[in-house]
Amino acid sequence: MLLEVKNLNAGYGFLQILRDVSLNVDKGEYVCLVGPNGAGKSTTLKTIAGLVKPMSGDILFKGEPIGGLPGNQVARKGISFVSEEMNLFVNMTVNENLAMGAYTIKDKQQQKDRLAFVYDLFPRLVERRNQLAGTMSGGERKMLAIGRGLMSDPTLLLVDEPSFGLAPLLTENVFQSLDTLVKQGMTIMLVEQNVTKTLAVTDRGYVLENGRIELEGRSDDLACDAHVRKVFLGV
Amino acid sequence: MVEQAEKHLWARLLAWCRSLAGATVIGTIVIALIVTVDRGGYVLVNTIVTGGMTALVAMGLALTLGVLNIPMFAHGEYFMIGSLTAYYVFTPIKTYMETHPESILALWGPLVTIIAAMLVGAVAGVVSEVLVFRQLRQRSRENWVMNSFLLTVGLSVLMINAHQLFFGADFKGITGYFSGMPINIMDVYISKDRAIAFLLAAVVVTGFWLFMTYTRTGRAIRAVSQDETGALIVGIGLNGIMMLTMALSCALAAIAGASLLFMYPAYPSVGLEPLYMAWFVVILSGLGNVLGAVMGAFMVALLKVMTVEYIGSGWDFVVPSALIIVILIFRPSGIFGSEVRGVLDK
Ligand SMILES: Nc1ncnc2c1ncn2[C@@H]1O[C@H](COP(=O)(O)OP(=O)(O)OP(=O)(O)O)[C@@H](O)[C@H]1O
Ligand SMILES: [Mg+2]
């Protein structure tokens, strides 16, 4: 198992959000986490990424406990988190943002290779490379956020709502890029609002409601599940 | 191709001149020249020396605001630590020089003194970060701006009183780092101390700018100031960066304190004036805007020098404060906008 989360409880201050969340991701898998607004999906990803401290429970990455480590150390272990808010460096150019993404990579040649890889995946970023991140459109920023996440050559990519606020065509673009990455062997854990689409492209999924995992299974099974259809698709 | 690039550059330059920032900078230069013609070259020299040193203090203040998010009220005390260190390092050097006038210390003594002050300032910064601010940060980040501000006020009072207790409240000063005739440039006499102080400020500001723009660590500092979570995500350790930032900004203040020892002798509250000046600058140029602080420093210096020149030396804080109030009413984000947006409302 690449990532194992066992009986995780987490929240903000005294407010507990996640209750006994257990999930796992194998190498090369494309896994999704879906659920209604406020269910705790972002909180789950943030806790794995080291931005929220767990109250109890274990997080193992490559068999090694990472629960409670600060975010920068989790990043160094090979987990890249692309947050909902993107957290770009708004007063740096696209190029500088990507360079910051490779902060943990010392080797100059490897940095160049990663940059070429990201520009290859998102050709649009090439045109914009000297533009300040803060002045880019929502879609371009999403691409930049994912691109920056890939610069560190991560083993596991956690992506939070990549399609949020994007026009359908751009959403399609972003989904395609993620697909390409998975085909190249990347492991991805995806959180998305667009449940139909997400269950159609991922291998496996978890359904989170009120901070608990209610259902899990193969994505095509989940897509046919009566409960899922009732909650998310209103049928 | 080249012509086009040139045209593009011109267009950008023109646009900048028409922007508020450009207009203010050009306005400042013009006013400085007019005053110089009217009153004599020493006005320009005073402005440049005061401005350069204020820039060092203000840059550090802008940095603590931008990176650590602390409205620093104790920044003047690192200036004080700089001047105090310089006094205690330079006094024995000077006595030694009187008996050994040929020693190389005559030339390098002042530099050794300023470097010693810089190091002590940096250490003081690290100690305050580790013992005070980190403790608060780990306990709670709620109401951070207010709480950390109150802590800095406490720190300021503590350091001023510690100075008084251990070193006494008297003026501990020197007449000058260098003896000998002042330098004469076009009938304006500049003392060697002032010339060196300005050169030092120019070198430090340039070096600092290069560091922030081109080194990996400098970029990491900028990254933290722009988005803390983003910095964590890409693997930047916050504790290290914050410690380094405090070391840098306090070292800058200490360099200023040491270089100006011939003008401001060390005494407990010597840091208050540079602190107020630096705050004027930071408010004028936009909170957390480090480069803007350099420009702003020269504007505030000119304003101060002009006030003393035309109105009287008792007014040198009144006029800048009045201007700050006006600026806060009409441009709350400062003249240059803020490189680090919303530092205080994060
Ligand atoms: N920083 C915070 N402090 C306190 N409570 C928070 C914080 N962030 C989120 N919450 C609360 O935690 C709960 C879960 O939030 P979370 O962002 O994980 O939900 P989500 O499943 O990602 O929702 P959405 O689909 O809207 O993004 C919500 O009730 C939210 O109000
Ligand atoms: Mg969310």
Side-chain angles (χ1 to χ4, degrees):
Chain A
M1 261 327 138
L2 187 63
L3 176 76
E4 281 175 88
V5 176
K6 292 183 205 157
N7 307 100
L8 181 67
N9 291 286
Y12 305 91
F14 292 110
L15 179 69
Q16 185 174 355
I17 305 290
L18 302 183
R19 290 161 203 280
D20 263 340
V21 168
S22 295
L23 52 84
N24 49 59
V25 181
D26 220 342
K27 193 151 176 40
E29 261 192 321
Y30 192 2
V31 177
C32 70
L33 181 64
V34 292
N37 289 117
K41 307 177 297 287
S42 299
T43 307
T44 309
L45 293 194
K46 281 186 202 162
T47 314
I48 298 172
L51 302 179
V52 170
K53 286 245 175 310
M55 294 166 173
S56 66
D58 297 309
I59 307 174
L60 303 178
F61 184 61
K62 297 175 183 163
E64 200 186 327
I66 57 162
L69 287 186
N72 61 312
Q73 287 182 31
V74 174
R76 278 164 193 272
K77 302 238 180 257
I79 297 182
S80 235
F81 175 42
V82 180
S83 63
E84 209 173 345
E85 304 84 12
M86 296 175 276
N87 296 106
L88 294 172
F89 307 122
V90 287
N91 285 308
M92 291 190 190
T93 62
V94 169
N95 233 340
E96 285 176 309
N97 265 280
L98 292 177
M100 289 315 302
Y103 185 76
T104 51
I105 296 182
K106 290 263 158 66
D107 184 44
K108 283 267 176 331
Q109 187 55 44
Q110 202 188 346
Q111 287 176 4
K112 276 191 196 139
D113 293 347
R114 292 312 297 170
L115 195 64
F117 173 80
V118 169
Y119 277 146
D120 200 43
L121 190 68
F122 299 112
R124 211 187 155 84
L125 293 182
V126 185
E127 303 162 25
R128 308 260 152 194
R129 66 166 159 244
N130 290 321
Q131 191 176 333
L132 292 185
T135 63
M136 301 217 298
S137 77
E140 290 162 348
R141 272 190 246 184
K142 269 285 141 65
M143 292 176 193
L144 179 56
I146 298 175
R148 188 183 68 180
L150 290 169
M151 284 298 291
S152 57
D153 199 5
T155 321
L156 172 65
L157 191 64
L158 307 172
V159 190
D160 199 354
E161 309 216 3
S163 76
F164 184 75
L166 296 194
L169 191 67
L170 274 174
T171 306
E172 199 53 43
N173 271 343
V174 170
F175 268 107
Q176 257 164 25
S177 312
L178 293 179
D179 245 13
T180 316
L181 284 170
V182 171
K183 291 219 176 69
Q184 290 168 349
M186 175 67 72
T187 313
I188 296 182
M189 182 156 168
L190 175 69
V191 164
E192 252 296 330
Q193 293 280 341
N194 188 339
V195 176
T196 324
K197 175 81 194 161
T198 307
L199 289 177
V201 295
T202 50
D203 306 325
R204 232 155 39 80
Y206 292 88
V207 178
L208 192 69
E209 279 173 58
N210 287 322
R212 289 176 200 279
I213 300 278
E214 289 294 336
L215 271 174
E216 60 175 286
R218 285 165 45 90
S219 295
D220 31 12
D221 292 344
L222 286 179
C224 308
D225 185 273
H227 179 70
V228 172
R229 289 171 71 85
K230 192 162 144 253
V231 174
F232 296 108
L233 311 174
V235 287
Chain B
M1 244 340 249
V2 178
E3 242 169 61
Q4 221 172 18
E6 230 167 61
K7 232 181 181 172
H8 186 65
L9 208 72
W10 268 115
R12 274 179 57 178
L13 202 66
L14 270 177
W16 181 77
C17 290
R18 272 198 222 108
S19 72
L20 183 59
T24 345
V25 171
I26 292 170
T28 310
I29 295 173
V30 170
I31 294 177
L33 291 179
I34 293 175
V35 176
T36 307
V37 170
D38 186 34
R39 289 287 166 127
Y42 70 95
V43 175
L44 196 64
V45 173
N46 272 352
T47 306
I48 286 177
V49 172
T50 321
M53 283 299 152
T54 309
L56 294 190
V57 184
M59 254 171 23
L61 190 66
L63 207 61
T64 24
L65 263 170
V67 179
L68 290 98
N69 221 1
I70 299 175
M72 187 58 132
F73 196 76
H75 204 59
E77 273 53 71
Y78 301 98
F79 179 98
M80 177 267 278
I81 287 177
S83 57
L84 191 64
T85 311
Y87 174 76
Y88 281 109
V89 173
F90 193 67
T91 313
I93 292 184
K94 191 148 192 170
T95 343
Y96 179 80
M97 262 157 47
E98 271 155 17
T99 49
H100 303 77
E102 249 59 296
S103 148
I104 50 161
L105 272 181
L107 196 59
W108 296 105
L111 192 67
V112 170
T113 306
I114 290 169
I115 289 177
M118 178 185 91
L119 293 178
V120 173
V123 170
V126 170
V127 169
S128 337
E129 155 65 12
V130 174
L131 293 187
V132 181
F133 300 116
R134 184 174 299 173
Q135 305 306 321
L136 175 64
R137 200 177 298 120
Q138 275 164 359
R139 277 168 185 74
S140 138
R141 298 208 67 167
E142 251 171 69
N143 264 330
W144 169 260
V145 172
M146 194 58 196
N147 288 341
S148 63
F149 169 71
L150 292 176
L151 262 187
T152 69
V153 175
L155 203 59
S156 164
V157 173
L158 186 79
M159 289 203 272
I160 290 177
N161 283 292
H163 180 139
Q164 186 153 357
L165 188 62
F166 296 115
F167 302 98
D170 51 333
F171 292 96
K172 297 168 276 288
I174 57 171
T175 46
Y177 282 118
F178 298 97
S179 46
M181 290 300 290
I183 307 163
N184 181 352
I185 303 171
M186 295 196 298
D187 275 345
V188 180
Y189 289 94
I190 309 169
S191 76
K192 278 187 193 158
D193 278 357
R194 277 166 197 251
I196 297 287
F198 173 68
L199 270 182
L200 201 69
V203 169
V204 172
V205 169
T206 315
F208 184 76
W209 181 78
L210 290 175
F211 168 75
M212 291 293 277
T213 320
Y214 293 110
T215 66
R216 184 179 120 97
T217 314
R219 285 204 186 127
I221 292 179
R222 280 166 58 212
V224 173
S225 80
Q226 291 178 28
D227 198 309
E228 234 176 79
T229 308
L232 267 179
I233 288 175
V234 299
I236 299 171
L238 293 186
N239 277 343
I241 291 295
M242 291 187 171
M243 207 164 81
L244 180 70
T245 305
M246 274 299 276
L248 274 174
S249 67
C250 296
L252 287 174
I255 292 177
S259 321
L260 291 182
L261 185 59
F262 65 95
M263 280 169 78
Y264 299 93
Y267 60 94
S269 56
V270 64
L272 285 183
E273 189 183 329
L275 175 78
Y276 293 149
M277 292 270 286
W279 267 105
F280 290 158
V281 170
V282 163
I283 291 169
L284 182 77
S285 50
L287 300 173
N289 183 344
V290 175
L291 267 190
V294 178
M295 307 303 301
F298 286 98
M299 290 181 199
V300 170
L302 176 67
L303 202 65
K304 208 181 147 199
V305 170
M306 272 171 62
T307 313
V308 174
E309 192 62 29
Y310 290 104
I311 306 180
S313 59
W315 293 85
D316 57 346
F317 275 112
V318 181
V319 175
S321 338
L323 186 79
I324 295 303
I325 293 171
V326 173
I327 287 176
L328 276 180
I329 293 171
F330 291 103
R331 283 254 334 172
S333 65
I335 293 179
F336 301 115
S338 176
E339 192 199 338
V340 190
R341 227 161 311 154
V343 177
L344 288 178
D345 48 34
K346 210 163 20 187

